[in-house]
Amino acid sequence: MRKSKLNNPSYKALLIDFKAWLDVLGFSEAMQKNYPHQLCEFFYWLEQHNINHIDYIQKEHIKDYYSYLKQRPNKTRNGALSNSYLNSHQSTLKKFRDYLSKHHKKPFNIHIKREKIEDEKIKYCTEKEVKQLFKATKHSHELPRFRARQKALLVCLYSLGMRRNEVVNLMLNDILWDKERVFIRKGKNYKERFVPINHYNLKMLEDYVFDARINFKVASESDYVFISRRSTKISGCTIENDLKMIIKASNKEALQNKNITPHMLRHSIATHFLKAGMKIEDIQQFLGHASLESTQIYTHILKEE
């Protein structure tokens, strides 16, 4: 739904503060956009029903709002909202409830059963396809420093299973060269973790950091591992563009048609670990999942195959 214009000043202030809170917690650019967007729709619905303060929100209001969403037409395509989109609205309200609790404000109750998503499958790359991506970095850009950056990005996204936002915020001193560990300080919900890295992948990071990165303009002025052409911190869009360049350079039609995303590479390493016999609890720790339930989605892949 297009962003509705709010009139209620308290809702406007909450929306701004909620978005700032998400930024502090280290949520991805997409979540910092989607959560406030969906919360704005909820606030607009409250306004239309003369519910002008969050203290007045009752359980029945949440149910009525959810019923409204089920009936609301999809603005980007024909038909109703997908179950996945309905569930994302639930997640937004739950996250906003967490925000209220953390700020000593009265939270509201949410007791709505999540919609079942049929045929939801985790998409991932095969090990052969991952090797093709790494091989493509030999000629994915005309300048060596960008090719080295793209290879290092693959190391972080696949070999280390990092989220896009974690890669963006990776600092030089987060790479513990002697201990063969990478410290993830700005993970989801600011959950910190150490990720092991083998000598082979460490060498690719080393080639980028010590040999290629110094060729970026005023690189010494930045403490971020991945920097742009002007040595500022790269954005999530830059990571996606680099990945697209790698895929194009592979000259593999199957890769080009697969719609590979940074998060798909994270799915890939988790799936490959599971197939290799790694314990699900160890994969959970590797990925930084707060709940084992989040990691168990990969077990369905093995059952299907």
Side-chain angles (χ1 to χ4, degrees), residues 1 37-45 68-69 72 89:
M1 181 177 183
H37 176 79
Q38 292 175 348
L39 183 61
C40 181
E41 181 172 359
F42 176 57
F43 284 162
Y44 183 77
W45 183 89
Y68 151 76
L69 288 176
R72 176 169 82 74
H89 268 272

Side-chain angles (χ1 to χ4, degrees), residues 116-219:
K116 185 177 180 181
I117 303 176
E118 300 291 343
D119 299 324
E120 182 181 33
K121 294 182 179 180
I122 297 297
K123 295 182 179 180
Y124 67 97
C125 299
T126 64
E127 292 184 53
K128 180 180 178 180
E129 289 170 336
V130 171
K131 290 179 180 178
Q132 290 172 343
L133 292 175
F134 274 100
K135 184 178 180 180
T137 59
K138 293 180 179 179
H139 49 270
S140 55
H141 199 284
E142 59 182 1
L143 298 177
R145 64 178 183 271
F146 285 99
R147 294 199 297 270
R149 186 184 73 180
Q150 290 171 351
K151 182 181 289 188
L153 281 171
L154 285 182
V155 169
C156 291
L157 294 171
Y158 171 74
S159 304
L160 302 182
M162 294 173 65
R163 300 178 179 93
R164 180 174 57 177
N165 197 52
E166 294 170 347
V167 175
V168 167
N169 291 286
L170 186 66
M171 311 291 284
L172 290 170
N173 57 6
D174 290 337
I175 304 176
L176 310 179
W177 303 98
D178 295 337
K179 297 181 179 180
E180 296 188 347
R181 294 287 186 275
V182 174
F183 178 51
I184 312 298
R185 69 172 68 246
K186 202 169 183 180
K188 193 173 182 179
N189 290 331
Y190 253 103
K191 185 177 176 62
E192 299 176 343
R193 70 186 188 277
F194 287 93
V195 178
I197 180 171
N198 61 30
H199 180 74
Y200 178 76
N201 287 295
L202 198 65
K203 180 64 168 60
M204 284 188 278
L205 283 187
E206 185 178 300
D207 290 342
Y208 163 68
V209 171
F210 296 108
D211 296 332
R213 186 180 177 278
I214 58 175
N215 293 317
F216 283 82
K217 185 178 179 181
V218 294

Side-chain angles (χ1 to χ4, degrees), residues 85-103:
Y85 192 78
L86 291 172
N87 289 339
S88 72
H89 268 272
Q90 280 196 49
S91 298
T92 295
L93 295 184
K94 288 178 180 178
K95 187 57 61 178
F96 180 60
R97 186 184 58 182
D98 292 343
Y99 159 84
L100 294 176
S101 298
K102 297 292 184 181
H103 290 77

